[in-house]
DNA sequence: TTGCACACGTTATACCGTTACACAATCGTG
DNA sequence: CACGATTGTGTAACGGTATAACGTGTGCAA
């Protein structure tokens, strides 16, 4: 199996959760995932949360803090997973995932100015996507 | 009749919740606030959440999405409340509140590039503050 | 073999937030 | 003033989010 994270050998539960997120068009909550996977043998929240923890760790899934939900990573390279920004449409729920070097630089610089050892950035922009913006 | 900002005439519950947050050294969860205010007559979560909603609306309090907690706004001017960034120490829980024009500009620009009508930015940086960073 | 690391399964519980309903105070306008 | 509209309040019940504390099984390395 080629390159990096994306080819981790996932366990059964991890694969099930990853599958649910990959097929979804938008973010899913852990409990929504659980409901979708009951027929596949998942019975308890913890089974989903454990899988999600690993998938986030592998860089395959992002957690959206402002939604308490999760999305599959859509980035090609999937690097800079810790500096990804999201635009979340309050109307249709769609999520745009972006990584921007200038933004990352600015955050890094701000952290340095404050002597803050930056580990992870949560950047979630709320508003209306192009399709949902009235003309 | 909201216009001032910082000197709003708060209702009783709002003042109680604001007081709890102002005295705290760090973020408080809604339930922690409730516990602290039981002796002052607050009995139910909703009383706290209603006050918090208003305080956030007034710009006196920030919600930290990645903590599910709330902090009193420490900014002098308290403008640009929708574009504030936070550095949250994973060790001691302290919160540094900053607003940065360059950062705000970059986010606005990214949103424009995506035709995204930006309403609110959630920017929460996790890591270690200066005091908690090993030398 | 023994110990360790890790995934898994289950129950119970804690924590976060809202819905629904009812009542009181306030305020603007006719 | 009287009326309705708005806003704040109080309570109970509930639903959504996440973890604690058990215990099991497996693979692997010392």
């Amino acid at each position: 199996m080629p390159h990096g994270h994306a080819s981790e050998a996932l366990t059964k539960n991890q694969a099930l959760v990853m599958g649910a997120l990959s097929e979804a068009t938008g973010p899913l909550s852990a409990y929504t995932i659980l409901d979708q996977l009951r027929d596949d043998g998942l019975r308890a929240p913890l089974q989903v949360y454990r899988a999600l923890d690993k998938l986030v760790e592998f860089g395959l899934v992002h957690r959206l803090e402002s939604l308490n939900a999760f999305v599959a990573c859509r980035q090609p390279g999937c690097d800079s997973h810790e500096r990804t920004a999201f635009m979340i449409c309050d109307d249709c729920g769609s999520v745009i995932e972006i990584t921007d070097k200038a933004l990352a630089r600015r955050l890094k610089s701000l952290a340095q100015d404050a002597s803050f050892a930056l580990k992870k950035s949560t950047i979630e922009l709320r508003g209306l996507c192009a399709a949902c913006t009235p003309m």
Side-chain angles (χ1 to χ4, degrees), chain A residues 33-49:
Chain A
I33 295 170
L34 176 57
D35 286 342
Q36 292 188 7
L37 296 178
R38 287 212 191 264
D39 295 342
D40 298 287
L42 292 199
R43 317 279 320 267
L46 198 46
Q47 297 175 286
V48 174
Y49 280 108

Side-chain angles (χ1 to χ4, degrees), chain A residues 25-36:
Chain A
T25 64
L28 298 180
S29 78
Y31 278 71
T32 301
I33 295 170
L34 176 57
D35 286 342
Q36 292 188 7

Side-chain angles (χ1 to χ4, degrees), chain A residues 5-41:
Chain A
H5 301 310
S7 56
E8 285 305 332
L10 299 180
T11 68
K12 173 169 157 279
N13 288 0
Q14 288 162 15
L16 285 170
V17 170
M18 191 67 212
L21 285 171
S22 297
E23 286 169 24
T25 64
L28 298 180
S29 78
Y31 278 71
T32 301
I33 295 170
L34 176 57
D35 286 342
Q36 292 188 7
L37 296 178
R38 287 212 191 264
D39 295 342
D40 298 287

Side-chain angles (χ1 to χ4, degrees), chain A residues 87-94 96 125-134:
Chain A
M87 300 184 200
I88 302 167
C89 179
D90 288 330
D91 193 37
C92 72
S94 70
I96 302 167
L125 310 183
R126 307 295 294 263
L128 297 179
C129 73
C132 295
T133 302

Side-chain angles (χ1 to χ4, degrees), chain A residues 111-125:
Chain A
Q112 276 178 349
D113 292 350
S115 299
F116 184 85
L118 179 56
K119 281 194 287 202
K120 181 178 191 316
S121 307
T122 296
I123 308 155
E124 299 179 12
L125 310 183

Side-chain angles (χ1 to χ4, degrees), chain A residues 43-111:
Chain A
R43 317 279 320 267
L46 198 46
Q47 297 175 286
V48 174
Y49 280 108
R50 287 201 274 229
L52 286 169
D53 284 347
K54 285 299 180 184
L55 293 171
V56 168
E57 188 185 320
F58 296 157
L60 297 174
V61 165
H62 298 283
R63 177 188 178 114
L64 299 176
E65 301 284 357
S66 67
L67 293 179
N68 293 328
F70 301 82
V71 282
C73 180
R74 312 289 189 194
Q75 295 279 100
C78 208
D79 60 341
S80 69
H81 185 261
E82 302 304 304
R83 274 140 186 76
T84 305
F86 301 90
M87 300 184 200
I88 302 167
C89 179
D90 288 330
D91 193 37
C92 72
S94 70
V95 174
I96 302 167
E97 187 179 336
I98 55 173
T99 62
D100 181 69
K101 284 201 163 45
L103 177 59
R105 261 200 308 272
R106 187 75 198 133
L107 291 174
K108 191 176 166 193
S109 162
L110 287 168

